[in-house]
């Protein structure tokens, strides 16, 4: 086992303080008297960053010297969350830093509080990438994360009259102390133009792409420190900059404005993160982003991480490129282009190298979320890549036809290029054909991928398909976010669990220990107070912490069914109004929502408006005597999650079975001692199996049942007609009870539920209400509840992202740890 020691010892409180003051003076240009809070934060960040650099450089040196295989994680998103606390944890400098600041009359928590997190992702997929690079570093795996340094991350959500309004996320307005810009390592990326045949040195013919424009990709390096190791990996995010050559060309033609315009166009590429995470819009700029970052990354890897004379036929010995969903899939034809056109490899040799170098992770099942790019757009932006894709497809379909003679329907189904409704490239198919392994992100999801979405492909290549269940980093989501629980665990079983999360099993006997249960409840109560205090200052929301904390936080999507949660709240209210339930008998509940809607997703925005409208009524209804409250803080992000999750009693994971690929919030809640109310969807299935039926509130249709109902023709109206309580809740919305008597306000929601209800909210309503009634009963027995909560913690060690990474290593990457030599 590795132990924690400060990397650059000996560090003392006073040497830390000296370095901090030096940073303030010589990097910020101020002294303690003139420093703003931002100056202080930047100086602190600079100080902590300084203590990681030697290890980082040693890591790079070791990786070069050992010629080890490197995991190159390609992801359009990294939802990193706050950096300072994580750097302090990794360096082991937290208490020194705290002491040093105190000696200067400053407060660490105060400075941590002003950090703006880099929100370079939409939700689960981006946060997973952040957890994975943490685990890769902790496990001493040589790895580099490649992505995009968006100038504006995920939008800041505000509510105006209860409706979502988006504000730009200006996270870089004061600079970021965590990045190292490297204009010296910029890479040129081309777009547009044409292809031509040229004669090479040997007299043979080659294709050459002649782009019509080019952009410079400037890397920004971030250190990714492991925990309990000297290993510090690199996250390399690319920023677009207009090239001088390009500027000059237009400039010299005398058209100054055109030159400036061209610069803007070029630099727009990394300007903003697209906030859609379900329905691809086929936007040109998005394809440009994708090609921009993977082209820069592949060139960077080949030219800078490998020796100059490296024979690219051996590429798969030195790298595995992991495709985080289809967003980086254009890397496949890009590598083929480099190998064939630029390095002169034979097509078939290049194809073998490419297939051995790529692996693909799929993160969805919703057909509308599968990316396709129109041939028209691809041909215009990346003409050579389109030719390569056609040739890959031709060869692939020849193989399909050979395996299934006469089955033209199958060939059409499997074609990488679809003809209807428009001619377009199916990126998931391209990824599947060109990868060694394809994985889903939870057991159920991988099964459905294999047996439904990609069934034709798994028939052809059964061994290509595998599962790696997602995980979350215990560093950020237990140790940092839940210090109270962490100390309790340390005291019970020692500190080794942070790097070996299965050891949480050793907590099981403590579930039977009344004093441990009491201490566990105390921690939960303190976490609730901390969260209540935060909401008071952050949002002006006043809550009592003496209640069941019922939490649903995730992107707003119909399939996730925030609507079902709303119907539960309304039903409780309606029962009290109708005298079926006495307010005095209600278990006091605080229902907390956190959710951003894609700006163009109308229904999602209506549901947000409805939640806020219901909150307004319920929170002030005298009939409820304050025993049912909704809190909907705006702008849910990683920073808020870290405060909210440790405070939760009940975790809402209520998607329609077969729709949520995995979920990762579900894991964070279980690890922090919340009980789940959930369907058999995504990783809920595995949580349920591990924690046991007694410690999980299971309800709802199973995936095969959903399929059957859907095949038979789902009629939501029949559930409405048959269920008085459901009718009561929906009628209350329709009557205008939450819209000042206006019956039109939420008509879109009501009519959708009654006639379409794509995600079967009405079909699962009764089962959900009954499960929630069981929650109330269970919560009344606090000893039994605590016991179940502790067992959730003890049995969820499987969900460490360290385990996920080990699974990737064993099943897909076949790379090995390389401890840093200092
Ligand atoms: C999808 C798209 C579709 C095209 C337009 C742009 C865009 C941007 C992001 C995404 C990501 C959607 C996929 C996603 O986030 N999936 C989530 O992945 C989590 C990590 O595996 C998993 O836990 C969630 O269940 C799954 O919804």
């Amino acid at each position: 086992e590795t132990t924690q020691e400060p990397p650059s010892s000996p560090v003392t409180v006073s040497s830390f303080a000296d370095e901090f003051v030096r940073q303030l003076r010589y990097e910020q240009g101020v002294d303690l008297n003139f420093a703003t809070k931002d100056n202080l934060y930047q100086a602190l960040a600079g100080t902590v960053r300084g203590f990681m650099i030697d290890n980082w450089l040693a890591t790079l040196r070791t990786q070069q010297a050992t010629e080890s295989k490197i995991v190159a994680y390609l992801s359009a998103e990294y939802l990193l969350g706050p950096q300072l606390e994580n750097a302090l944890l990794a360096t082991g400098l937290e208490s020194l830093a705290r002491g040093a600041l105190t000696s200067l009359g400053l407060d660490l928590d105060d400075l941590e509080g002003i950090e703006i997190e880099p929100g370079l992702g939409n939700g689960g997929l981006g946060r997973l990438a952040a957890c994975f690079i943490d685990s890769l570093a902790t496990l001493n795996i040589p790895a580099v994360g490649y992505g995009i340094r968006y100038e504006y991350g995920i939008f800041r959500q505000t509510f105006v009259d209860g409706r979502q309004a988006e504000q730009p996320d200006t996270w870089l307005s004061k600079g970021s102390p965590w990045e190292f810009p490297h204009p010296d390592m910029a890479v040129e990326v081309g777009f547009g133009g044409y292809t031509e045949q040229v004669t090479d040195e040997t007299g043979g013919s080659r294709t050459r792409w002649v782009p019509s424009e080019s952009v410079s990709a400037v890397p920004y390096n971030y250190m990714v420190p492991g925990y309990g190791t000297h290993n510090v990996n690199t996250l390399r995010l690319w920023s677009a900059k207009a090239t001088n050559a390009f500027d000059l060309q237009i400039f010299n033609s005398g058209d100054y404005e055109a030159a400036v315009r061209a610069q803007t166009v070029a630099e727009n590429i990394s300007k903003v993160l697209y906030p859609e995470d379900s329905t691809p819009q086929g936007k040109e700029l998005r394809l440009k982003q994708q090609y921009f970052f993977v082209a820069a990354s592949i060139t960077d890897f080949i030219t800078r991480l490998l020796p100059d004379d490296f024979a690219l036929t051996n590429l798969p010995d030195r790298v595995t490129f992991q495709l985080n969903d289809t967003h980086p899939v254009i890397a496949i034809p890009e590598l083929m282009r480099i190998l064939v056109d630029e390095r002169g490899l034979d097509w078939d040799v290049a194809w073998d190298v490419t297939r051995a170098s790529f692996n693909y992770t799929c993160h969805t099942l919703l057909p509308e979320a599968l990316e396709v790019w129109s041939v028209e757009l691809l041909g215009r932006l990346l003409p050579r890549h389109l030719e390569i894709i056609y040739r890959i497809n031709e060869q692939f379909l020849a193989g399909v036809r050979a395996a299934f003679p006469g089955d033209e329907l199958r060939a059409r189904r499997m074609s990488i290029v679809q003809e209807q409704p428009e001619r377009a490239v199916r990126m998931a198919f391209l990824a599947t054909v060109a990868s060694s392994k394809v994985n889903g992100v939870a057991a159920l999801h991988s099964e459905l991928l294999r047996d439904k979405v990609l069934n034709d492909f798994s028939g052809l290549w059964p061994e290509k398909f595998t599962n790696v269940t997602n995980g979350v980093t215990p560093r950020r989501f237990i140790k940092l976010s839940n210090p109270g629980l962490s100390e309790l665990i340390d005291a019970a079983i020692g500190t080794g669990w942070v790097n070996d999360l299965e050891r949480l099993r050793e907590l099981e006997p403590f579930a039977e220990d009344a004093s441990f249960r009491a201490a566990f409840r105390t921690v939960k109560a303190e976490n609730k107070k901390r969260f209540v205090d935060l909401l008071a200052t952050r949002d002006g929301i006043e809550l009592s912490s003496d209640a069941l904390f019922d939490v649903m936080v995730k992107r707003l999507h119909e399939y996730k069914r925030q609507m079902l949660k709303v119907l539960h709240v309304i039903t409780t209210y309606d029962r009290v109004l109708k005298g079926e339930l006495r307010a005095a008998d209600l278990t006091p509940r605080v229902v907390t929502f956190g959710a951003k809607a894609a700006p163009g997703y109308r229904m999602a925005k209506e549901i947000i408006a409805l939640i806020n409208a219901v909150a307004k009524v319920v929170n002030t209804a005298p009939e409820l005597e304050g025993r049912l409250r909704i809190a909907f803080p705006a702008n849910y992000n990683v920073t808020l999650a870290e405060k909210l999750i440790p405070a939760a009693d009940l975790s809402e994971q209520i998607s329609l079975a077969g729709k949520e690929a995995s979920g990762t919030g579900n894991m964070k809640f279980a690890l922090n001692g919340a009980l789940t109310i959930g369907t058999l969807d995504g990783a809920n299935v595995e949580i349920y199996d591990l924690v046991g039926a007694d410690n999980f509130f299971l309800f709802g249709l199973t995936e095969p049942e959903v399929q059957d109902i859907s095949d038979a023709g789902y009629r939501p109206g029949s559930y409405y007609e048959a269920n008085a309580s459901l009718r009561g809740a929906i009628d209350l919305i329709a009557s205008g009870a939450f819209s000042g008597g206006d019956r039109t306000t939420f008509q879109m929601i009501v009519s959708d539920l009654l006639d379409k209800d794509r995600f079967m909210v009405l079909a699962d309503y009764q089962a959900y209400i009954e499960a929630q009634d069981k929650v109330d009963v269970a919560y009344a027995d606090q000893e039994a509840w605590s016991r179940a909560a502790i067992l959730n913690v003890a049995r969820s060690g499987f969900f460490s992202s360290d385990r996920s990474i080990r699974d990737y290593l064993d099943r897909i990457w076949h790379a090995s740890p390389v401890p840093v030599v200092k």
Side-chain angles (χ1 to χ4, degrees), residues 77 122-126 128 273-281 286 290 324-327 361-364 368-371 441 470 557 559-560 659-667 682:
E77 304 189 5
N122 272 286
L125 167 136
L128 186 77
L273 168 77
Y274 276 90
E276 277 78 42
D277 70 342
S278 58
T279 38
Q281 301 280 313
R286 191 173 159 82
Q290 296 184 351
N324 196 26
D325 216 288
T326 53
H327 318 146
T361 306
C362 176
H363 293 266
T364 188
E368 69 265 31
L370 294 175
E371 279 188 301
V441 288
N470 283 168
H557 264 291
Y559 83 80
K560 294 179 190 280
K659 304 298 176 192
E660 187 71 273
S662 162
T664 45
N666 49 2
M667 302 167 185

Side-chain angles (χ1 to χ4, degrees), residues 323 329 332 347 351-352 354-360 388-400 411 413-417 426-438 454 456-458 460-461 464-465:
L323 301 166
V329 166
I332 290 165
W347 174 274
W351 180 239
D352 287 342
T354 298
R355 267 189 318 176
S357 302
F358 283 102
N359 297 293
Y360 162 53
I388 291 171
I389 292 168
Y390 270 124
R391 183 155 169 199
I392 292 172
N393 194 36
E394 212 171 277
Q395 249 178 275
F396 164 63
L397 289 181
V400 171
R413 266 201 323 266
M414 295 181 79
S415 176
I416 294 169
V417 183
R426 297 158 161 160
M427 302 307 273
F429 288 12
L430 176 58
T432 301
V433 169
S435 290
S436 293
K437 295 282 178 181
V438 175
L454 298 175
D456 287 324
F457 295 89
S458 68
L460 202 56
W461 303 303
K464 198 181 264 208
F465 288 77

Side-chain angles (χ1 to χ4, degrees), residues 261-481:
R261 248 195 329 272
Q263 177 176 345
T264 307
V265 168
E267 294 177 3
N268 271 345
I269 291 179
S270 56
K271 193 65 78 180
V272 58
L273 168 77
Y274 276 90
E276 277 78 42
D277 70 342
S278 58
T279 38
Q281 301 280 313
K283 289 268 171 58
E284 177 166 333
L285 185 57
R286 191 173 159 82
L287 179 58
K288 278 189 154 183
Q289 289 185 336
Q290 296 184 351
Y291 179 65
F292 166 77
F293 100 86
V294 299
S297 303
I298 290 186
T299 296
D300 181 76
F301 190 91
I302 291 176
T303 62
R304 272 193 266 284
L305 273 66
L306 295 176
D308 287 344
D309 59 350
F310 188 81
L312 286 179
T313 45
N314 299 324
L315 188 64
D317 299 337
R318 294 297 302 278
V319 70
T320 173
F321 289 112
Q322 188 64 33
L323 301 166
N324 196 26
D325 216 288
T326 53
H327 318 146
V329 166
I330 197 71
I332 290 165
E334 172 65 3
L335 181 60
M336 285 297 288
R337 186 188 68 81
I338 290 173
L339 296 178
V340 174
D341 297 358
E342 294 188 352
R343 303 292 181 110
L345 261 62
D346 207 58
W347 174 274
D348 292 327
V349 173
W351 180 239
D352 287 342
V353 169
T354 298
R355 267 189 318 176
S357 302
F358 283 102
N359 297 293
Y360 162 53
T361 306
C362 176
H363 293 266
T364 188
L365 281 164
L366 300 186
E368 69 265 31
L370 294 175
E371 279 188 301
V372 296
W373 290 111
S374 81
V375 160
E376 183 280 322
L377 175 58
L378 268 174
R380 188 153 45 80
L381 227 53
L382 300 167
R384 178 57 180 148
H385 299 77
L386 181 60
E387 289 174 7
I388 291 171
I389 292 168
Y390 270 124
R391 183 155 169 199
I392 292 172
N393 194 36
E394 212 171 277
Q395 249 178 275
F396 164 63
L397 289 181
V400 171
R401 292 188 175 107
F404 302 92
D407 196 348
E408 204 38 42
L409 233 71
R410 178 185 299 264
R412 202 172 312 161
R413 266 201 323 266
M414 295 181 79
S415 176
I416 294 169
V417 183
Q418 70 178 29
E419 300 294 329
Q420 294 299 335
E422 58 167 353
R423 184 172 284 193
V425 177
R426 297 158 161 160
M427 302 307 273
F429 288 12
L430 176 58
T432 301
V433 169
S435 290
S436 293
K437 295 282 178 181
V438 175
N439 76 284
V441 288
L444 173 66
H445 175 236
S446 295
E447 254 172 56
L448 295 171
L449 259 190
R450 188 191 61 201
D451 301 339
K452 297 198 164 173
V453 186
L454 298 175
N455 187 250
D456 287 324
F457 295 89
S458 68
L460 202 56
W461 303 303
E463 62 304 324
K464 198 181 264 208
F465 288 77
T466 186
N467 171 248
V468 178
T469 297
N470 283 168
V472 302
T473 171
R475 270 73 65 184
R476 183 174 292 273
F477 290 106
I478 306 177
K479 180 101 178 136
L480 279 175
S481 67

Side-chain angles (χ1 to χ4, degrees), residues 701-720:
L701 298 168
T702 62
E703 192 280 330
E705 288 167 349
V706 169
Q707 191 59 254
D708 289 346
I709 295 179
S710 164
D711 291 346
Y714 175 56
R715 284 202 322 111
S718 63
Y719 293 87
Y720 172 82

